[in-house]
Amino acid sequence: SPSAASHWSKVVSEAEKIVGYPTSFMSLRCLLSDELSNIAMQVRKLIGTKHPLLNTARGLVYDSRNNLQMRGLVVLLISKAAGPSNTAEISFQHDMISGIYSSQRSLAEITELIHTAFLVHRGIVNIGELKSCDGLLKDMQFGNKIAVLSGDFLLANACTSLAQLQNTKVVELISSAIGDLVQGIYYDNSNLSEENCLTHDIGISTWKKQIFLSHSALLAKSCQAAMELAKHDAEIQDMAFQYGKHMSMSHKLHSDLQPFIKGKSSDSVAFSLNSAPVVLHQELLGREAWIKQIREAQHKGNLMDFTRLQEAIKAGKGVTSAIDLCHYHGNRALEALESFPPSEARSALENMVYAVTRFS
Amino acid sequence: MGTAGRGTGLSVRAGLCGARATRVGAGKGHWPRSLGHEVAGDERGACRARSWCLAAHRTGVQRVSRMHYFLGRSSDLSFPKICNIFLRLHHTTTSRTCSCSKTITDEKYKDPFKLGRKDLKNLYEDIKKELLVSTAELKEMCEYYFDGKGKAFRPMIVVLMARACNIHHNNSGEVQESQRSVAIIAEMIHTASLVHDDVIDDANSRRGKTTVNQIWGERKAVLAGDFILSAASVALARIGNTTIISVLSQVIEDLVRGEFLQLGSKENENERFAHYLEKTFKKTASLIANSCKAVSILGCPDPKVHEIAYQYGKNVGIAFQLIDDVLDFTSCADQLGKPTAADLKLGLATGPVLFACQQFPEMNAMIMRRFSLPGDVERARQYVLQSDGVQQTTYLAQRYCHEALKEISKLRPSPERDALIQLTEVVLTRDK
């Protein structure tokens, strides 16, 4: 709903003030590089084509939902909320700005670089599946080329920045998060509905595993790594991991729920058949009844009447179950925060949870 | 040629990039420093290429004037030197005997592949163990090129270098587990980059197999490449040494920057050659150089040894790629496992083309339009074969190998060191 979106924006901009300057920008070093200006030049050539990279690039510059760099922001906030550890040496503390170590700021950037790299790599097009309406083949090939290269460029920058942190545990954590992300996106891709609009019968527990990989692992492991960089103990590391994990799960559930929240039916009704409310609806309804509903919503030529399907889902219990699940993860995130001393950074992290668990 | 970047005329922005500025060993130009003045006395590995040298000499007089033309317009520090080197080479490479390689082959001959193999047993099994992935299809894609049919050229150099450094340091006859991990990681990084390159180039076949992107589609192929890279990165972190992480992360950055260099073409002919060599270093040699450096760091505390390992890897790596570029013109498709003149078809002007262009200036226009007009590829191929571009490139590769040989000879003798010496020859004479 519009109020939810504006509420989220407000929470984010308040939180940005707490971490000092908006350092969750992708690193300036990266922005000033020859390669990035080269990419910008090349992306311009794609204007007028249908390559998805154009939309991704547009989203990086302007993101109406204010989800841009949310991950970096959370890493900075949790770093500040944890503060310096007791075991950390004093000499270690003078590179702290606004209560955040410079290594933690780098980590926030790295997290954003990785997230962005995969936004770009997600948008690769399968050349063999193109139809004539997709435009010229060579445009799509060119778009792919630039997408592979620019994603690789962002990842390579993440790798070198990661190496500069001089902490092997952090390198291992973040590298494994990249692996998780790949596997998660891979699932996302293979779950994409086939022509007959039938999705795999995955069930909510599988959905949760896959969404953890594609949406939560990076943030969870980055939060943990931020604690490791400040030499916090294993317990705090785990709490930071839990916050990152559950906060991003409820964030995902919240966004999956938007098309099903009251008063929104006039807006775009397109929703993913793999979104949480649909998966839950299917699970509660039973596979056969679900297939029947899909068939009923299908027009001639297999075109899906999403409005009709949406009404059917709204009439079931999938939506309320998804809201419950969203609250469950929100509560788990809040519980994890209790291990951190009260501070404005901690409040900001709490507010983010409140923002993504609000549905009125 | 001493400072970072200057040797290849690269990067006005070097100052902006901290990582590059602090890089050890990378500062040397890609051109062997000693090329010019050591030709007369030390130049012995040339025997293999005697016929090429003769060919070069034949056209030498002509070339002098062309080189002057080059010199006049050069805006690059390295290029005049390159030209100088060539001028001198043409006057000194006529009568040469094969003394050097004889001594190697007669007494200390070691087949590098045979010697390296004992440490590479189970290489691919161990790589597969690093690829922990839950979906069967993604696993299949990731393992696709680790089928044991590759040359494992990089892991082999790495383990030989590891042993050579260990023996040099304290006569240790063992390869450390961490050094073997570097060999595995090098092959993984290499393979990940191949998978992405094939998507970028829209390639159909590699090593005689259908490419990953052809079988599973571009979208999945890119993810598979990303996954292999992340697994390599995890393995790298587990070595537990932050220096090693930095050294090998540099490779990942170089690979991407090399790919970007390949995207653009320089109008200025002088810049074009430097650009080509810089690209060659980043796309091919950096991986070998930095992996060699990594195992030397693990095996021996002496920074001089690290520099030897790095320089050896860099020079062998550039030579390897130069020969690769030659083979693209001289080898038949069956031998190579991929189509020939592939570089031209991709619009790339490699060494043989750049040399040929000196003889046939009409190629300039084709280079600039990246061989995009009908008939360009075939015409360019013909020009290259008519010119001495192939010989010149091979000769250049030989110079790099010679430099590599000079570096590695500084290590204490060992079977592995001698195998690495032998390898400089293998690189030049391979036909696939």
Side-chain angles (χ1 to χ4, degrees):
Chain A
S1 62
S3 76
S6 66
H7 185 66
W8 171 255
S9 300
K10 202 169 146 239
V11 168
V12 167
S13 56
E14 287 299 312
E16 277 178 342
K17 287 177 198 155
I18 295 168
V19 294
Y21 45 88
T23 33
S24 57
F25 283 142
M26 268 186 264
S27 67
L28 219 56
R29 183 172 59 81
C30 192
L31 281 174
L32 289 175
S33 68
D34 285 344
E35 283 80 2
L36 211 71
S37 51
N38 198 340
I39 289 172
M41 290 292 292
Q42 308 288 348
V43 169
R44 280 175 64 186
K45 296 186 194 159
L46 287 174
I47 291 170
T49 73
K50 290 186 176 173
H51 200 282
L53 179 60
L54 261 186
N55 261 328
T56 311
R58 197 174 290 139
L60 293 181
V61 182
Y62 177 72
D63 174 15
S64 57
R65 283 196 218 152
N66 236 322
N67 290 330
L68 195 60
Q69 304 184 340
M70 179 273 277
R71 288 148 201 87
L73 181 60
V74 169
V75 171
L76 293 175
L77 285 170
I78 206 148
S79 299
K80 185 163 184 170
S85 80
N86 299 327
T87 55
E89 294 150 29
I90 312 229
S91 63
F92 188 59
Q93 288 179 18
H94 63 242
D95 70 343
M96 233 183 183
I97 299 168
S98 302
I100 299 162
Y101 293 115
S102 64
S103 60
Q104 292 170 320
R105 289 189 188 271
S106 296
L107 179 68
E109 285 172 10
I110 291 165
T111 309
E112 285 301 332
L113 285 175
I114 294 169
H115 174 70
T116 312
F118 282 98
L119 284 181
V120 174
H121 276 180
R122 266 172 198 261
I124 302 282
V125 171
N126 282 336
I127 300 292
E129 293 166 13
L130 291 176
K131 300 181 188 100
S132 52
C133 61
D134 292 322
L136 288 173
L137 180 69
K138 74 171 175 45
D139 286 344
M140 294 313 236
Q141 280 171 336
F142 181 74
N144 267 2
K145 185 172 176 165
I146 299 307
V148 176
L149 270 177
S150 38
D152 283 353
F153 173 73
L154 296 170
L155 274 183
N157 269 278
C159 282
T160 40
S161 303
L162 205 48
Q164 281 164 16
L165 295 179
Q166 302 274 315
N167 183 316
T168 58
K169 190 180 173 189
V170 169
V171 176
E172 187 174 344
L173 263 173
I174 303 300
S175 302
S176 75
I178 297 174
D180 292 341
L181 202 46
V182 173
Q183 295 191 68
I185 295 169
Y186 202 86
Y187 284 127
D188 281 1
N189 280 348
S190 46
N191 283 343
L192 286 180
S193 52
E194 304 292 324
E195 295 224 341
N196 59 8
C197 286
L198 265 185
T199 51
H200 296 294
D201 187 11
I202 57 170
I204 196 68
S205 65
T206 309
W207 181 89
K208 283 170 80 168
K209 271 184 217 145
Q210 296 182 359
I211 293 302
F212 171 73
L213 292 173
S214 60
H215 285 76
S216 300
L218 177 61
L219 186 59
K221 289 180 175 175
S222 290
C223 286
Q224 182 185 350
M227 301 301 101
E228 163 67 24
L229 285 173
K231 305 274 176 272
H232 285 294
D233 61 23
E235 198 188 341
I236 285 289
Q237 286 190 25
D238 184 49
M239 287 303 123
F241 178 95
Q242 296 301 331
Y243 176 80
K245 172 184 166 179
H246 292 293
M247 189 271 166
S248 44
M249 289 299 275
S250 51
H251 184 258
K252 168 69 175 156
L253 281 154
H254 186 260
S255 93
D256 274 8
L257 274 158
Q258 291 313 305
F260 302 96
I261 300 300
K262 284 187 198 84
K264 277 216 69 182
S265 54
S266 57
D267 289 354
S268 69
V269 286
F271 53 89
S272 163
L273 292 178
N274 292 304
S275 64
V278 186
V279 170
L280 282 161
H281 173 76
Q282 181 186 178
E283 192 164 84
L284 294 164
L285 195 68
R287 178 78 172 167
E288 272 174 44
W290 168 241
I291 291 174
K292 192 161 162 264
Q293 280 187 345
I294 285 195
R295 295 279 172 256
E296 282 166 5
Q298 254 165 352
H299 291 300
K300 281 167 289 188
N302 277 347
L303 266 180
M304 181 69 79
D305 181 350
F306 272 95
T307 316
R308 182 166 177 176
L309 200 58
Q310 189 185 39
E311 289 311 316
I313 292 164
K314 276 179 169 176
K317 291 201 173 68
V319 175
T320 42
S321 300
I323 291 176
D324 289 347
L325 192 59
C326 183
H327 282 136
Y328 165 79
H329 285 293
N331 288 333
R332 293 289 304 274
L334 292 172
E335 278 166 32
L337 282 180
E338 283 169 15
S339 307
F340 295 82
S343 67
E344 47 171 10
R346 193 184 86 168
S347 305
L349 289 167
E350 286 163 356
N351 289 338
M352 290 176 106
V353 175
Y354 297 141
V356 294
T357 48
R358 240 173 66 140
F359 291 99
S360 49
Chain B
M1 256 194 260
T3 45
R6 270 169 82 223
T8 50
L10 71 107
S11 172
V12 184
R13 291 166 176 269
L16 273 178
C17 178
R20 190 183 289 161
T22 55
R23 218 158 109 204
V24 190
K28 306 291 178 347
H30 303 160
W31 286 83
R33 277 158 295 168
S34 55
L35 270 185
H37 49 263
E38 281 190 18
V39 164
D42 209 348
E43 167 27 72
R44 271 171 294 185
C47 50
R48 286 271 175 183
R50 194 150 32 135
S51 52
W52 309 323
C53 304
L54 288 171
H57 185 68
R58 244 187 292 120
T59 55
V61 182
Q62 251 178 295
R63 191 171 303 277
V64 170
S65 56
R66 266 200 305 278
M67 285 291 179
H68 279 302
Y69 172 71
F70 260 93
L71 280 167
R73 298 205 316 180
S74 176
S75 61
D76 186 289
L77 271 173
S78 67
F79 207 79
K81 295 197 181 176
I82 295 168
C83 297
N84 256 324
I85 290 156
F86 267 90
L87 291 177
R88 293 193 213 180
L89 288 180
H90 293 137
H91 296 290
T92 51
T93 53
T94 41
S95 55
R96 189 135 295 126
T97 50
C98 298
S99 56
C100 174
S101 78
K102 259 249 163 75
T103 50
I104 299 165
T105 34
D106 286 353
E107 289 194 31
K108 293 183 273 180
Y109 180 87
K110 295 287 171 198
D111 177 357
F113 285 87
K114 208 167 162 187
L115 197 59
R117 210 169 288 147
K118 66 178 181 209
D119 292 317
L120 298 179
K121 235 191 288 168
N122 303 325
L123 172 77
Y124 292 107
E125 282 69 26
D126 292 344
I127 289 176
K128 286 174 190 171
K129 279 181 205 150
E130 300 291 342
L131 298 167
L132 297 168
V133 53
S134 49
T135 25
E137 190 185 46
L138 183 57
K139 192 172 173 60
E140 196 187 341
M141 289 166 66
C142 289
E143 292 180 353
Y144 187 69
Y145 288 125
F146 301 117
D147 56 0
K149 288 177 186 139
K151 290 187 289 275
F153 179 71
R154 290 156 188 83
M156 187 188 60
I157 294 187
V158 172
V159 291
L160 289 174
M161 181 62 79
R163 282 184 178 272
C165 291
N166 296 354
I167 290 173
H168 178 85
H169 176 51
N170 58 5
N171 251 323
S172 156
E174 289 309 307
V175 171
Q176 298 166 29
E177 197 52 42
S178 58
Q179 290 176 318
R180 197 168 177 280
S181 293
V182 172
I184 284 175
I185 292 161
E187 187 69 0
M188 289 172 80
I189 294 176
H190 171 61
T191 307
S193 79
L194 292 186
V195 174
H196 280 195
D197 283 0
D198 284 345
V199 176
I200 290 171
D201 300 340
D202 202 25
N204 301 317
S205 65
R206 171 174 299 277
R207 293 182 188 163
K209 289 173 93 168
T210 310
T211 55
V212 173
N213 44 300
Q214 279 295 307
I215 300 177
W216 287 281
E218 286 73 12
R219 191 189 289 224
K220 285 178 176 175
V222 168
L223 290 176
D226 288 341
F227 190 82
I228 297 169
L229 188 67
S230 75
S233 196
V234 170
L236 178 57
R238 288 200 181 126
I239 292 177
N241 181 322
T242 54
T243 309
I244 302 302
I245 293 177
S246 297
V247 169
L248 289 179
S249 298
Q250 185 60 51
V251 174
I252 297 169
E253 189 177 315
D254 283 344
L255 282 170
V256 181
R257 290 187 187 270
E259 200 63 48
F260 269 100
L261 288 174
Q262 196 162 293
L263 207 63
S265 41
K266 291 269 183 269
E267 231 165 294
N268 182 309
E269 287 171 47
N270 304 328
E271 284 177 24
R272 208 183 272 156
F273 213 97
H275 190 261
Y276 165 66
L277 286 176
E278 190 193 352
K279 183 223 80 182
T280 302
F281 169 75
K282 294 206 158 140
K283 279 203 71 180
T284 311
S286 171
L287 174 61
I288 301 171
N290 283 300
S291 317
C292 284
K293 185 176 167 186
V295 288
S296 75
I297 292 170
L298 290 165
C300 172
D302 182 0
K304 286 195 208 93
V305 173
H306 308 161
E307 184 64 11
I308 291 168
Y310 180 88
Q311 291 298 333
Y312 175 84
K314 185 184 86 179
N315 284 289
V316 161
I318 294 177
F320 180 85
Q321 187 57 49
L322 289 171
I323 295 301
D324 219 54
D325 294 344
V326 163
L327 289 173
D328 197 38
F329 286 96
T330 58
S331 190
C332 63
D334 274 0
Q335 250 171 330
L336 225 51
K338 59 184 179 190
T340 48
D343 293 326
L344 287 178
K345 288 172 195 158
L346 291 170
L348 305 177
T350 57
V353 178
L354 296 177
F355 278 116
C357 183
Q358 291 175 35
Q359 260 169 290
F360 301 106
E362 50 270 48
M363 290 180 80
N364 252 317
M366 282 194 262
I367 294 175
M368 284 319 291
R369 61 176 180 256
R370 299 179 78 97
F371 315 103
S372 56
L373 288 185
D376 274 0
V377 168
E378 189 46 35
R379 251 187 309 149
R381 211 173 73 90
Q382 290 307 326
Y383 274 130
V384 167
L385 296 177
Q386 281 165 37
S387 75
D388 57 3
V390 162
Q391 291 92 325
Q392 290 289 327
T393 311
T394 314
Y395 189 67
L396 184 58
Q398 201 189 1
R399 301 302 310 148
Y400 280 103
C401 278
H402 179 71
E403 189 66 14
L405 184 145
K406 218 184 83 197
E407 289 291 335
I408 199 69
S409 302
K410 294 175 189 165
L411 293 186
R412 186 193 294 199
S414 65
E416 285 77 13
R417 186 204 71 165
D418 294 346
L420 288 170
I421 290 176
Q422 183 62 23
L423 193 89
T424 61
E425 190 129 339
V426 173
V427 163
L428 293 172
T429 52
R430 71 199 179 98
D431 57 3
K432 61 173 217 171

